[in-house]
Amino acid sequence: MGLESIPVVTQSASDGLTGNAAAVLREIAARLESLAKEGQSGIIDLGAMPLSPADKAWLADKLGQGEVEINLELDGPSHVRETRYAGVWWLLHHNPQGAVTGEFIEITRIPELVLAHPADIISGSESLNFLIDDLC
Amino acid sequence: MREQEGRLVASLAQQGISRRTFMKYCATLASMMALPPSAGIAMAEAMASSRRPSVIWLPFQECTGCTESITRSHSPTLEGLIFDAISLDYQETLMAAAGHQAEEALEKAIEDNKGKFVLIIDGSVATGLDGAYSCIAGRSNLELLKKVAPHAAAIVAMGSCAAYGGIPKANPNPTAAVSVSDIIKDKPIVNIPGCPPIPVVMTGVLAHFLTFGSLPELDKLGRPKAFYGETIHDRCYRRPFYDQGKFAKTFDDDGARNGWCLFELGCKGPITYNACATVKWNGGTSWPVESGHGCLGCSEPDFWDGGGFYKALSMPANPLKLAAGAAVAGAAAGVAISFANRAKKGAAKAAHETTTLADLEK
Amino acid sequence: MNEMQLLTWARGTGLDFAVGIFLLGVLWRLIEIYSLGRKKDLSAARQAAGASGWHTIFRRSVPAEGMLKKSPVSYIGGYTFHIGLAICVFLFAPHIKLIQSLTGLSWPGLPSQFVDLIAVVTIAAMVVVLVDRINKPVKRYLSTFQDWFTWTLTFLPVLTGWMAVQHLLLPYTTMLAIHILSVELLLVFLPFTKLFHAFTVFGSRWYIGTVNGHKGVAV
């Protein structure tokens, strides 16, 4: 038996707002401002905040949809989505079973997770050279 | 590539775990441990580049369930892989070496990593008969612990037995079992109780140690606050039913079928501090209460002697033996006193002298 | 002794002793009181037998004329905390479970949020009654050690129970153990202090009412 068979009253998106989402939105704005002025990036862990489903829906609605969407397959799907505001990214991590394991707002030019790591670039370059050597 | 040999990230890569997967894992781990989100990146960097930490795992009076919990998930989990990736220099269940070879490996690991290795202990320490109840290679657990512990950087007491004595310490405790912290007083000890403990707690502690070089914040009972900060009851999805007074009365009634609160069936959720309700088990599949059974309180000290797994917390831990006797004694005392009172009244009546008119006129 | 052992002791040995002393005391005193009897009243009854005893049981629960205005705290506060106590003790689900396990009797409980609210009201009423007792010179003059002591005995279980549910000050396990211990203290002292009125109040009212009726006092 799953959770859905238990008579839990679900709140619609219109109510159930705790007011915390507005605070998160202000924090995003402040961090975006410091990214613009000082180049300082930041992360907000949505899992660490008492946000109701309605709060998250409200926040997603306010932040909107940007141009970039990246899907990653990292031991379960992960999803990186740019919001309407350049520099504000919404990250959603799932485990292989499909449950959400983490949800973050990252305020940066591009999320750390997407960037290729220098050490990986070096080893990639080495591997590619080995491949070319083998061709000859 | 060469300089990365022996690094955690390289050994993960060999097993097909990409750096990004590892970073994602660290981000969710940091989130779970209530660390600032930036700690996830720091953790990934520090763990990826650090040398594989030497870990010595000593099994004492235990059932190997804790080892099973970490290594025997149905599919390889990151907990399991990180566990493989650390330099596990001594673990009897997992190591290939046996006999004298194994003991030599232990000596060598202590010698090579003096003051730097993490000592994991599972199982309680038998102290009866000088520890003779549990011996490895002719040495008692007690002796071994006292010998190895001084050289460790930190000690992790894995499972309820190592942390609080667990089942071996349950009444009547024939082996005089005690916890690790009862013996070792001068080393940082992290207790990771549970029977077995949740694997991610173990990796969380190791990750914290590798990243920050220190142990995570602990509560009064030596447990990482991040995982043991709240009770099962407070984070339970069935909590609304408790508040509404909707309880399952038996394991097969309508209440049980509707997923109502298991308090009356003996759930120890209200007094059990653990992360089962949020982290869950078997890759987030389920956990005891979700599968319809109350919490046993396995991560609490002396849970085994806590008055019965199927007795509601508000019920007497033991049958009241004195009540009937006391009631009889009370009734007897009441009757006895009433007879005494009657006798007093009778005596007073007998002593009463009738006053006549003549007496008054005197 | 750790928290769990304390709780197990409170639920086990402690409860055993407390309930034992409670039963012993209650039976002892009830039998003693009711077996005392009174001398036969040889005077003729002034009034034909009415139900003065039963009337008094009821009438003494209603403030006498003008008294409600004169000391509202005693009446309203007293009522509030007595009813509140009854609700908290007898209609909170875990308490019903305890009574069921001891006696086999059970009845439906109230939602825990409601009981929580009642507990707060009860605590407030008890504090007000205490402050009134301290502030009013006559009440203070009439108060003996037993009055302060029994107030504390009654107040502690409500306070600690509420704090345990709200997770205030101490971890739930410890607070629950303290709550149970405070109830055990109450059980131990109840039969031997003025708290015994829980058992005797209606009996004594009936007795007084009957005697008064015999003397011809209007019902």
Side-chain angles (χ1 to χ4, degrees):
Chain A
M1 180 167 26
L3 289 182
E4 63 279 359
S5 56
I6 295 163
V8 176
V9 180
T10 46
Q11 292 176 315
S12 66
S14 59
D15 50 46
L17 287 171
T18 62
N20 291 344
V24 174
L25 198 62
R26 287 205 179 83
E27 186 179 349
I28 294 170
R31 295 207 181 213
L32 193 58
E33 208 179 309
S34 85
L35 177 67
K37 284 183 185 154
E38 300 143 38
Q40 177 75 41
S41 31
I43 315 180
I44 298 165
D45 182 357
L46 293 183
M49 315 258 170
L51 295 175
S52 67
D55 286 333
K56 278 188 189 163
W58 183 87
L59 196 60
D61 179 57
K62 294 289 172 255
L63 289 176
Q65 178 69 42
E67 294 167 329
V68 187
E69 264 197 87
I70 305 165
N71 288 312
L72 303 102
E73 188 50 49
L74 309 169
D75 190 40
S78 286
H79 190 74
V80 177
R81 187 168 60 80
E82 193 190 30
T83 66
R84 193 186 298 141
Y85 308 96
V88 181
W89 303 80
W90 193 303
L91 280 74
L92 190 59
H93 298 306
H94 295 88
N95 69 5
Q97 284 77 25
V100 174
T101 56
E103 200 165 9
F104 302 88
I105 302 271
E106 203 165 335
I107 297 100
T108 181
R109 293 189 64 193
I110 184 127
E112 194 93 12
L113 188 65
V114 180
L115 285 171
H117 195 277
D120 290 348
I121 296 173
I122 292 168
S123 69
S125 154
E126 279 175 3
S127 311
L128 196 56
N129 283 331
F130 277 129
L131 184 78
I132 289 166
D133 287 346
D134 282 351
L135 288 180
C136 303
Chain B
M1 199 62 180
R2 197 151 300 130
E3 74 272 16
Q4 284 195 37
E5 261 172 28
R7 312 269 179 216
L8 187 60
V9 77
S11 93
L12 284 173
Q14 278 169 6
Q15 308 189 50
I17 305 292
S18 74
R19 184 187 295 269
R20 285 200 185 94
T21 304
F22 183 62
M23 281 172 69
K24 167 178 165 178
Y25 176 73
C26 289
T28 54
L29 188 62
S31 171
M32 219 179 272
M33 295 178 74
L35 294 168
S38 55
I41 295 166
M43 222 178 226
E45 278 296 321
M47 278 175 76
S49 58
S50 67
R51 282 200 59 82
R52 295 161 65 199
S54 171
V55 172
I56 294 176
W57 181 314
L58 295 178
F60 290 164
Q61 282 199 120
E62 46 88 43
C63 68
T64 317
C66 299
T67 314
E68 293 282 338
S69 167
I70 288 200
T71 58
R72 296 286 182 118
S73 348
H74 62 287
S75 65
T77 61
L78 266 160
E79 281 86 38
L81 289 170
I82 286 177
F83 186 66
D84 287 347
I86 56 177
S87 177
L88 191 57
D89 293 322
Y90 184 90
Q91 216 288 7
E92 286 172 9
T93 311
L94 304 177
M95 70 199 304
H100 293 297
Q101 267 187 332
E103 295 312 304
E104 277 161 26
L106 176 60
E107 299 295 334
K108 189 169 177 320
I110 296 171
E111 203 52 47
D112 290 353
N113 303 288
K114 251 187 186 165
K116 281 182 289 188
F117 65 89
V118 175
L119 177 62
I120 299 179
I121 307 254
D122 70 325
S124 61
V125 188
T127 59
L129 299 179
D130 289 332
Y133 286 106
S134 181
C135 292
I136 301 164
R139 279 186 299 188
S140 74
N141 296 160
L142 187 62
E143 189 189 338
L144 195 58
L145 178 63
K146 282 182 177 164
K147 183 175 175 310
V148 180
H151 306 298
I155 300 176
V156 176
M158 266 294 268
S160 295
C161 296
Y164 307 128
I167 295 169
K169 195 190 162 212
N171 279 333
N173 192 3
T175 64
V178 296
S179 69
V180 172
S181 54
D182 285 332
I183 305 282
I184 305 298
K185 302 285 184 193
D186 54 353
K187 283 280 164 190
I189 298 178
V190 187
N191 286 330
I192 305 184
C195 190
I198 301 175
V200 73
V201 181
M202 166 87 213
T203 38
V205 170
L206 280 181
H208 197 284
F209 184 71
L210 288 172
T211 310
F212 305 109
S214 64
L215 297 172
E217 198 187 347
L218 305 177
D219 72 1
K220 207 162 83 298
L221 290 170
R223 309 176 285 201
K225 271 187 182 165
F227 295 102
Y228 296 91
E230 280 175 280
T231 64
I232 297 285
H233 189 56
D234 288 341
R235 303 302 298 265
C236 183
Y237 73 94
R238 296 196 187 201
R239 178 61 187 264
F241 296 116
Y242 173 87
D243 290 331
Q244 289 162 19
K246 290 178 176 166
F247 299 98
K249 311 276 179 188
T250 64
F251 283 108
D252 58 353
D253 67 357
D254 276 345
R257 270 186 281 278
N258 287 332
W260 289 355
C261 178
L262 299 166
F263 178 86
E264 295 196 1
L265 290 169
C267 182
K268 300 295 180 290
I271 55 160
T272 305
Y273 291 79
N274 208 336
C276 302
T278 42
V279 178
K280 300 192 182 183
W281 283 86
N282 299 324
T285 309
S286 183
W287 61 291
V289 171
E290 192 174 337
S291 61
H293 193 288
C295 168
L296 302 181
C298 77
S299 56
E300 290 297 313
D302 300 301
F303 79 102
W304 200 258
D305 293 322
F309 292 157
Y310 299 99
K311 261 189 196 161
L313 204 54
S314 62
M315 280 164 62
N318 305 308
L320 301 185
K321 294 181 201 117
L322 295 175
V328 171
V335 169
I337 296 255
S338 71
F339 273 110
N341 287 340
R342 254 159 217 264
K344 218 190 273 174
K345 262 200 276 184
K349 208 174 177 183
H352 182 73
E353 286 169 21
T354 314
T355 311
T356 60
L357 201 59
D359 292 331
L360 292 174
E361 281 172 352
K362 261 182 209 170
Chain C
M1 190 184 252
N2 61 40
E3 294 157 7
M4 190 69 152
Q5 284 166 329
L6 182 69
L7 178 62
T8 309
W9 189 88
R11 287 173 61 208
T13 318
L15 188 70
D16 199 8
F17 274 101
V19 170
I21 294 171
F22 174 75
L23 283 177
L24 186 141
V26 167
L27 282 169
W28 170 341
R29 292 210 56 195
L30 279 180
I31 292 175
E32 183 184 347
I33 290 169
Y34 286 107
S35 70
L36 265 181
R38 284 289 182 270
K39 256 191 205 164
K40 204 171 184 181
D41 192 343
L42 298 173
S43 64
R46 288 274 177 89
Q47 195 187 319
S52 353
W54 294 104
H55 276 132
T56 308
I57 289 179
F58 171 74
R59 221 190 46 235
R60 292 232 170 158
S61 296
V62 183
E65 216 183 312
M67 284 307 281
L68 190 61
K69 262 191 189 157
K70 242 180 173 176
S71 59
V73 173
S74 301
Y75 282 103
I76 298 171
Y79 258 109
T80 310
F81 99 73
H82 274 93
I83 295 171
L85 266 183
I87 291 175
C88 293
V89 173
F90 294 113
L91 294 174
F92 184 49
H95 295 165
I96 298 173
K97 193 68 193 163
L98 170 70
I99 294 167
Q100 190 191 5
S101 77
L102 291 176
T103 64
L105 301 172
S106 110
W107 51 87
L110 286 173
S112 55
Q113 284 100 336
F114 181 73
V115 177
D116 190 77
L117 175 74
I118 296 295
V120 174
V121 171
T122 308
I123 290 170
M126 287 196 75
V127 170
V128 168
V129 168
L130 180 74
V131 169
D132 191 53
R133 190 186 272 279
I134 294 170
N135 280 345
K136 294 262 167 69
V138 177
K139 279 189 178 179
R140 193 170 61 223
Y141 176 74
L142 288 174
S143 298
T144 60
F145 168 76
Q146 204 186 103
D147 292 299
W148 311 114
F149 181 59
T150 49
W151 182 91
T152 313
L153 280 181
T154 315
F155 186 69
L156 281 181
V158 190
L159 182 73
T160 55
W162 180 73
M163 284 171 82
V165 170
Q166 292 292 332
H167 297 351
L168 297 175
L169 204 65
L170 294 170
Y172 180 77
T173 315
T174 319
M175 212 61 198
L176 181 64
I178 293 174
H179 172 61
I180 296 176
L181 288 172
S182 70
V183 174
E184 284 164 9
L185 213 58
L186 176 68
L187 282 179
V188 166
F189 283 104
L190 191 141
F192 308 106
T193 55
K194 67 176 211 169
L195 292 173
F196 199 62
H197 75 269
F199 285 89
T200 53
V201 61
F202 294 119
S204 57
R205 277 184 193 174
W206 180 86
Y207 183 83
I208 291 166
T210 308
V211 169
N212 284 349
H214 192 85
K215 289 178 180 168
V217 178
V219 176

